[in-house]
C-alpha cells in the first residue's frame, strides 16, 4: 500500500513537471506539493536511500553547494543537487523525484541539498543527512523577525533530526559553535586563522554572546562581521580548534584567491576560483565536508580551482568591449563583503546597484543602511559612476550620498532598458549588484536585448 | 557650532538600518560646517548624558532586551530620564521607543517595567505589524508626510503625559486602533519608523538638529541643503502608499 502511494506520488510529480514544461514553465514547487499530498512521506522514502549532505546557514549556501558538487564530480561520486529556488520542502522533494525511477529507486547515491534553516527543520526528519554543513549565521532581512535565536533553534532542530550526521561547523562563528553545544553528533570545525583584511575591525556590530552565560565574547582577531577568534571572559567557552584552517591568504586577484590550508595534518596551497573573504570561508567549509567524504586533498584542491560560481555569484559576461560582473546581494554582511572586495580593486569601475523590495528580496530595504558603504566614498577616481536602479532606486541614491559618494557620480535610472544601454557604453568594467528579483530582471533583459540566451554558465 | 550625539546601546539596539539615522544627522551637520561627534554608549558603559545634545536609541531583538532592562532598572533608566527632563533632543525607534515607556507586557502576560521616561505602555501581540507605512506630522505647521517601515509585535498606547507624534495615513502606527503614531514629550520623538527614518525624511532630521542647536545656543539658523535625492525617495514612497 505504502509502495503504491510512493509510486503514485512519483508519477504525479513527474507528470506535473512534464506538464509545466510543455506549457513552457519550469518550477518544482507545484509538482512537489502535489506529490506530498499523495504521499506525505515521499521524501523519507527516497531520502533514506541516499547519502545526503545538507548545506544550511545564512550566507554562502549556493556557492558552497557548487564547490561541493565539483568536488564530488572530480571524485567520481555520482550526485545530484537542488538548484536555488528549489530549497523548500516541495522543491527538495521534486528534486529527489527527478532522480528516482518510477518504482521509487534512487538512481544516484549522493545528494547535496541546500536549504534555509526553516526548511532544514521541516525536511530534517525525512533526509536523515549524513553530513550537515552550517556555513555561518548572520542577520538576514528575509528573516523578518530579526531573531537570530529563532534561526539557531531551527538549525539545531534540523541537526537533532539528523542523528547519523557529521556536522561541519564554522569555528569562527560563536553563534554556530554555541548552537551545537551538547549535541551527540561528531563535529568537524573549519575556520580562518589569519586576518582577512588589514584595515582593522569593521563597523558592523553583530551580536555574539556566550551561549553559556550571555556575556559578550571578546576577540583575539576578527575576520569579518562577528567571525573571528573569540572567548568568553567569564567562563570556559572559547573558539574550538579548527580541523580545517585557512592559515594564510597568499594572493588576491580580481577573479580568484590563493590561500594556505591546514587540514588532516598537511599544509598546502590552494586556489579558489572566486574572490572575496566570504568565499574563503565557503571553501574551508567544503574542505571539511570533503574530508568527511574521504575525497583526498588533491581532488578537493583541483575542484576548488575549477568550479564555476552559481547564479549571480560573480558571474561574468562581455557586452561588446565591456566586461560585466554580477554579484547577488541579499543581506548587509554579504553586501559589506562585496563592497570591501570592490573597494580593494585598483582598476576603475562603474557600479550598478539594483534594489527591489519584492518578497524574494525582502520587503524591508532598511538593511542597506547596515552595510559598510563608506568604502565607496573613499574610492575617489576609481569609482566612475554609481547607477542606482530597481524599484527602490531613489533609496539607493540617498544611501550612496550619505555613504560619501560624490553626488555628481550618482545616477538614478529606474528604467532597466536605459540602464543596460548605459552599462553597455561604459568605458570601464562594470559591477552589477542586484537583489534577487532585480537580478532575474536584469538577466532577462540582457538575454533579450543582447541575444545572450545562455550567457552565464 | 558643535553638536554631540550619543548613540545609546549601539551593540543591542541596532536592527533594521537604524544607524542610518545617526549617519544622516552627522552628515547633515558636516554639510553645514557644524562640528559633530558621535559617541556610542553600549551596555555597561557609563557616559555623562549631560554632555550630549542628541540621544538616539534604535530597535533591537526581543531576546536581547533582558540584559538591557536590568541595566535600565539599575542606573541607566534614571540617567536617561533626567536627560529627557532636561530637554535633551531624543529620537527613539521601535524597541528603543518601547523601552523609554512605562512598561512592556508580553503577549503571554508577563509585565516588565521600562525606563518610565515616556507616558506610554506597550502590549505584545502574537501578530506582528510589518510593512511600509506613512504618517502625517503637523508640528512644523505645514503638514509633512513621514515614510518608514514598521516591524513590531507590540501595540503601544499613549498616556496623558504625551501627545502623538503623527497621524497614521497608511499602515498601523502605535497600535492600529486609534490612528496615532509615535509619541512626543519635551524634545523626545518616539516612533515605530525604521527604514531608517531620517535619510528620506530630511525635514524631520533638520527639525531635530535645529531643536538641539536652539537648546544649546539659544537660537539657530539652519542653512538649507540640496535635498533633491532625499525628497525623491520620500515622494516615491508617499505616492506608492497613497495608491495602496
Ligand atoms: Zn560564558
Amino acid at each position: 500500500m505504502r509502495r503504491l502511494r510512493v509510486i503514485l506520488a512519483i508519477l504525479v510529480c513527474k507528470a506535473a513537471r512534464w506538464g509545466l514544461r510543455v506549457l513552457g514553465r519550469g518550477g518544482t514547487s507545484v509538482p512537489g506539493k502535489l506529490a506530498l499530498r499523495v504521499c506525505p512521506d515521499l521524501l523519507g522514502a527516497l531520502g533514506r536511500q541516499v547519502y545526503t549532505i545538507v548545506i544550511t546557514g545564512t550566507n554562502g549556501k549556493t556557492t558552497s553547494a557548487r564547490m561541493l558538487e565539483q568536488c564530488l564530480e572530480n571524485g567520481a561520486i555520482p550526485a545530484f543537487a537542488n538548484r536555488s529556488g528549489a530549497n523548500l520542502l516541495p522543491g527538495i522533494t521534486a528534486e529527489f523525484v527527478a532522480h528516482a525511477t518510477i518504482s521509487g529507486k534512487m538512481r544516484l547515491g549522493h545528494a547535496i541539498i541546500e536549504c534555509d534553516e526553516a526548511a532544514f527543520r521541516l525536511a530534517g526528519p525525512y533526509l536523515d543527512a549524513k553530513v550537515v554543513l552550517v556555513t555561518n549565521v548572520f542577520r538576514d532581512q528575509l528573516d523578518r523577525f530579526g531573531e537570530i535565536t529563532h534561526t539557531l533553534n531551527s538549525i539545531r532542530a534540523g541537526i537533532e533530526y539528523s542523528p547519523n550526521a557529521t556536522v561541519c561547523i564554522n569555528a569562527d562563528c560563536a553563534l554556530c559553535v554555541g548552537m551545537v553545544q551538547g549535541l551527540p553528533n561528531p563535529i568537524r570545525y573549519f575556520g580562518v586563522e589569519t586576518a582577512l583584511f588589514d584595515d582593522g575591525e569593521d563597523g558592523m556590530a553583530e551580536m555574539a554572546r556566550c551561549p553559556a552565560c550571555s556575556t559578550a565574547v571578546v576577540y583575539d582577531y576578527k575576520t569579518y562581521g562577528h567571525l573571528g577568534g573569540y572567548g568568553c571572559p567569564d567562563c570556559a567557552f572559547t573558539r574550538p580548534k579548527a580541523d580545517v584552517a585557512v592559515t594564510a591568504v597568499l594572493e588576491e586577484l580580481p577573479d580568484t584567491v590563493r590561500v594556505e590550508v591546514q587540514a588532516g595534518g598537511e599544509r598546502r596551497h590552494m586556489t579558489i576560483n572566486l574572490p572575496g573573504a566570504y568565499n574563503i570561508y565557503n571553501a574551508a567549509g567544503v574542505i571539511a565536508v570533503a574530508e568527511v567524504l574521504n575525497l583526498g586533498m588533491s581532488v578537493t584542491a583541483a575542484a576548488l580551482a575549477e568550479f564555476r560560481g552559481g547564479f549571480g555569484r560573480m558571474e561574468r559576461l562581455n557586452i561588446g568591449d565591456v566586461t560585466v560582473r554580477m554579484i547577488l546581494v541579499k543581506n548587509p554582511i554579504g553586501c559589506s563583503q562585496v563592497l570591501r572586495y570592490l573597494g580593494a580593486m585598483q582598476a576603475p569601475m562603474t557600479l550598478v546597484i539594483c534594489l527591489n523590495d519584492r518578497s524574494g528580496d525582502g520587503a524591508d530595504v532598511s538593511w542597506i543602511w547596515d552595510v559598510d558603504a563608506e568604502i565607496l566614498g573613499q574610492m575617489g577616481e576609481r569609482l566612475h559612476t554609481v547607477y542606482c536602479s530597481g524599484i527602490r532606486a531613489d533609496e539607493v541614491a540617498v544611501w550612496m550620498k550619505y555613504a560619501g559618494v560624490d553626488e555628481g557620480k550618482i545616477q538614478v535610472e529606474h528604467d532597466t532598458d536605459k540602464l543596460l544601454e548605459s552599462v553597455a557604453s561604459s568605458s570601464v568594467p562594470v559591477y552589477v549588484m542586484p537583489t534577487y528579483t532585480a537580478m532575474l530582471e536584469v538577466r532577462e533583459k540582457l538575454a533579450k536585448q543582447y541575444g545572450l540566451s545562455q550567457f552565464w554558465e | 557650532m558643535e553638536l554631540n550625539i550619543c548613540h545609546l546601546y549601539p551593540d543591542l539596539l541596532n536592527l533594521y538600518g537604524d544607524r542610518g539615522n545617526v549617519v544622516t544627522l552627522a552628515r547633515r551637520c558636516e554639510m553645514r560646517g557644524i562640528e559633530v561627534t558621535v559617541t556610542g554608549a553600549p551596555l555597561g558603559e557609563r557616559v555623562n548624558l549631560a554632555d550630549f545634545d542628541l540621544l538616539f536609541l534604535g530597535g533591537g531583538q526581543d531576546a536581547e532586551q533582558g540584559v538591557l532592562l536590568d541595566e535600565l532598572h539599575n542606573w541607566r533608566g534614571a540617567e536617561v530620564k533626567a536627560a529627557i527632563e532636561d530637554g535633551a533632543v531624543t529620537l527613539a525607534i521601535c524597541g528603543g521607543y518601547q523601552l523609554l515607556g512605562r512598561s512592556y507586557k508580553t503577549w503571554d502576560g508577563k509585565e516588565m517595567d521600562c525606563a518610565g521616561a515616556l507616558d506610554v505602555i506597550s502590549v505584545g501581540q502574537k501578530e506582528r505589524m510589518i510593512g511600509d507605512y506613512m504618517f502625517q506630522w503637523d508640528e512644523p505647521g505645514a503638514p509633512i508626510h513621514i515614510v518608514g517601515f514598521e516591524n513590531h509585535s507590540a501595540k503601544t498606547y499613549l498616556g496623558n503625559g504625551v501627545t502623538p507624534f503623527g497621524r497614521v495615513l497608511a499602515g498601523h502606527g502605535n497600535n492600529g486602533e486609534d490612528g496615532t503614531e509615535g509619541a512626543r514629550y519635551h524634545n523626545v520623538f518616539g516612533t515605530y519608523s525604521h527604514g531608517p527614518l531620517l535619510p528620506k525624511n530630511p525635514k524631520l532630521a533638520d527639525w531635530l538638529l535645529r531643536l538641539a542647536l536652539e537648546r544649546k545656543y539659544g537660537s539657530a539658523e539652519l542653512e538649507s541643503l540640496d535635498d533633491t535625492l532625499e525628497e525623491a525617495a520620500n515622494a516615491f514612497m508617499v505616492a506608492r502608499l497613497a495608491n495602496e
Side-chain angles (χ1 to χ4, degrees):
Chain A
M1 186 54 207
R2 178 156 174 276
R3 242 201 102 194
L4 266 177
R5 264 178 180 269
V6 169
I7 292 169
L8 188 59
I10 289 174
L11 280 171
V12 164
C13 190
K14 283 184 187 284
R17 241 183 135 163
W18 178 80
L20 282 176
R21 212 165 287 154
V22 168
L23 293 173
R25 286 160 49 195
T28 52
S29 169
V30 173
K33 271 184 199 153
L34 290 173
L36 285 170
R37 200 166 294 166
V38 175
C39 176
D41 182 42
L42 179 60
L43 184 56
L46 302 178
R48 277 188 286 275
Q49 304 171 38
V50 177
Y51 186 108
T52 298
I53 301 151
V54 167
I55 302 178
T56 190
T58 307
N59 285 343
K61 295 186 286 287
T62 301
T63 302
S64 299
R66 295 295 83 82
M67 288 175 170
L68 193 59
E69 241 184 305
Q70 190 70 52
C71 289
L72 265 64
E73 192 183 320
N74 287 18
I77 298 176
F80 66 94
N82 64 331
R83 294 287 166 174
S84 338
N87 54 9
L88 300 177
L89 194 57
I92 294 170
T93 306
E95 208 65 57
F96 272 84
V97 171
H99 297 280
T101 65
I102 302 282
S103 61
K105 270 219 136 32
M106 293 304 296
R107 293 201 196 92
L108 302 169
H110 284 66
I112 299 166
I113 300 300
E114 159 200 341
C115 58
D116 69 21
E117 53 282 350
F120 181 33
R121 179 181 218 149
L122 290 177
Y126 304 111
L127 291 175
D128 187 21
K130 301 301 181 291
V131 185
V132 174
L133 168 63
V134 184
T135 55
N136 49 52
V137 171
F138 289 110
R139 219 178 262 155
D140 193 285
Q141 91 288 356
L142 288 175
D143 176 16
R144 310 174 88 192
F145 304 99
E147 296 282 356
I148 281 184
T149 322
H150 179 79
T151 305
L152 291 167
N153 287 343
S154 294
I155 297 176
R156 189 176 166 103
I159 297 173
E160 282 169 345
Y161 287 128
S162 316
N164 302 310
T166 298
V167 182
C168 298
I169 290 287
N170 188 335
D172 299 352
C173 176
L175 299 168
C176 290
V177 172
M179 185 262 302
V180 296
Q181 297 297 304
L183 287 171
N185 304 57
I187 310 270
R188 304 283 296 164
Y189 289 106
F190 62 92
V192 174
E193 296 179 350
T194 173
L196 290 178
F197 303 102
D198 43 23
D199 55 353
E201 210 171 292
D202 62 357
M204 250 178 52
E206 193 81 27
M207 277 298 300
R209 294 190 162 265
C210 171
C213 69
S214 297
T215 311
V217 299
V218 292
Y219 289 87
D220 300 329
Y221 64 93
K222 270 193 167 185
T223 52
Y224 72 84
H226 67 270
L227 305 184
Y230 52 83
C232 174
D234 286 355
C235 76
F237 178 71
T238 174
R239 176 187 183 269
K241 191 181 161 343
D243 303 294
V244 173
V246 172
T247 43
V249 178
L250 306 169
E251 193 180 9
E252 285 187 275
L253 298 166
D255 295 304
T256 60
V257 59
R258 279 201 329 124
V259 295
E260 181 187 74
V261 179
Q262 174 142 25
E266 55 174 311
R267 198 177 274 250
R268 68 157 72 214
H269 293 177
M270 289 191 185
T271 298
I272 303 165
N273 198 23
L274 271 187
Y278 47 107
N279 287 314
I280 297 178
Y281 271 103
N282 292 335
V286 166
I287 296 167
V289 175
E291 272 204 325
V292 176
L293 296 170
N294 284 319
L295 274 179
M297 280 282 261
S298 38
V299 171
T300 308
L304 289 177
E306 70 178 63
F307 86 101
R308 299 283 303 269
F311 211 45
R313 274 76 181 178
M314 192 62 75
E315 297 168 298
R316 194 174 35 188
L317 86 151
N318 292 306
I319 304 178
D321 296 333
V322 190
T323 305
V324 180
R325 291 181 178 83
M326 179 126 86
I327 318 172
L328 174 72
V329 291
K330 46 180 192 166
N331 50 33
I333 192 80
C335 189
S336 292
Q337 290 303 302
V338 171
L339 293 187
R340 224 185 249 243
Y341 157 76
L342 295 180
M345 292 287 106
Q346 288 311 309
M349 69 179 70
T350 288
L351 181 61
V352 180
I353 303 176
C354 306
L355 179 68
N356 278 358
D357 60 0
R358 298 198 175 93
S359 67
D361 312 287
D364 181 6
V365 297
S366 62
W367 64 271
I368 59 174
W369 294 86
D370 284 324
V371 173
D372 298 314
E374 288 73 16
I375 197 162
L376 294 177
Q378 294 154 10
M379 283 176 71
E381 293 307 306
R382 286 182 294 136
L383 185 61
H384 276 206
T385 309
V386 181
Y387 289 100
C388 308
S389 191
I391 297 170
R392 300 299 295 272
D394 301 295
E395 183 86 22
V396 176
V398 177
W399 174 41
M400 287 296 104
K401 176 178 173 180
Y402 284 87
V405 174
D406 185 24
E407 267 188 84
K409 294 180 184 174
I410 302 173
Q411 301 280 341
V412 178
E413 186 50 82
H414 284 272
D415 185 286
T416 313
D417 290 325
K418 288 199 188 126
L419 172 74
L420 294 181
E421 274 171 37
S422 307
V423 162
S425 63
S426 171
S427 59
V428 291
V430 179
Y431 288 85
V432 184
M433 288 178 22
T435 57
Y436 187 71
T437 70
M439 179 181 74
L440 301 182
E441 214 173 301
V442 169
R443 264 169 188 280
E444 204 187 310
K445 295 269 185 191
L446 279 173
K448 246 182 223 154
Q449 267 169 13
Y450 298 92
L452 307 159
S453 53
Q454 286 284 309
F455 50 91
W456 273 298
E457 295 203 343
Chain B
M1 283 191 290
E2 185 192 46
L3 283 181
N4 300 309
I5 303 175
C6 180
H7 186 174
L8 282 156
Y9 300 113
D11 51 338
L12 295 170
L13 302 177
N14 60 0
L15 275 191
Y16 309 123
D18 286 339
R19 79 176 184 128
N21 293 315
V22 178
V23 170
T24 302
L25 290 171
R27 292 272 298 147
R28 293 183 77 82
C29 283
E30 286 163 7
M31 288 184 236
R32 294 171 165 121
I34 300 168
E35 289 204 35
V36 63
T37 67
V38 178
T39 307
L43 191 77
E45 212 169 295
R46 212 161 198 135
V47 293
N48 182 7
L49 291 181
D51 293 344
F52 296 96
D53 310 301
L54 274 153
L55 309 183
F56 174 74
L57 294 104
Q61 301 195 54
D62 297 344
E64 288 156 7
Q65 313 224 331
V67 274
L68 212 159
L69 278 173
D70 286 345
E71 183 168 298
L72 281 179
H73 294 156
N74 289 338
W75 53 274
R76 180 101 73 186
E79 291 186 3
V80 172
K81 199 173 164 178
I84 284 172
E85 288 301 322
D86 192 39
V89 179
T90 305
L91 175 63
I93 313 277
C94 197
Y97 168 40
Q98 295 165 353
L99 286 167
L100 288 188
R102 282 195 290 144
S103 64
Y104 184 102
K105 195 164 156 187
T106 61
W107 64 269
D108 52 355
K110 213 170 76 182
E111 188 156 346
M112 295 169 292
D113 281 338
C114 298
L118 273 185
D119 186 15
V120 306
I121 58 163
S122 301
V123 184
Q125 311 287 318
K126 278 190 170 174
E127 289 277 309
R128 288 185 88 85
M129 288 158 266
I130 304 182
D132 291 308
Y133 82 133
M134 169 163 70
F135 60 96
Q136 183 173 315
W137 177 44
D138 291 321
E139 197 173 342
I144 288 174
H145 288 59
I146 304 283
V147 291
F149 192 94
E150 59 179 334
N151 185 348
H152 50 113
S153 66
K155 292 185 172 180
T156 294
Y157 298 94
L158 308 183
N160 292 326
V162 297
T163 55
F165 181 176
R167 199 160 48 80
V168 176
L169 299 176
H172 299 88
N174 278 331
N175 47 50
E177 295 162 9
D178 61 17
T180 66
E181 155 56 20
R184 284 281 290 107
Y185 172 69
H186 289 347
N187 283 334
V188 182
F189 295 74
T191 173
Y192 272 114
S193 185
H194 296 290
L197 174 65
L198 297 181
K200 53 184 175 292
N201 296 292
K203 292 192 181 83
L204 176 59
D206 282 356
W207 190 268
L208 298 177
L209 292 177
R210 197 180 44 77
L211 282 179
L213 289 170
E214 277 174 1
R215 173 174 174 255
K216 190 167 192 172
Y217 298 107
S219 71
E221 258 323 289
L222 273 189
E223 185 189 327
S224 68
L225 299 174
D226 177 2
D227 285 335
T228 313
L229 295 177
E230 290 87 339
E231 293 297 357
N234 180 287
F236 176 82
M237 288 312 294
V238 169
R240 194 164 94 170
L241 286 162
N243 288 329
E244 259 174 17

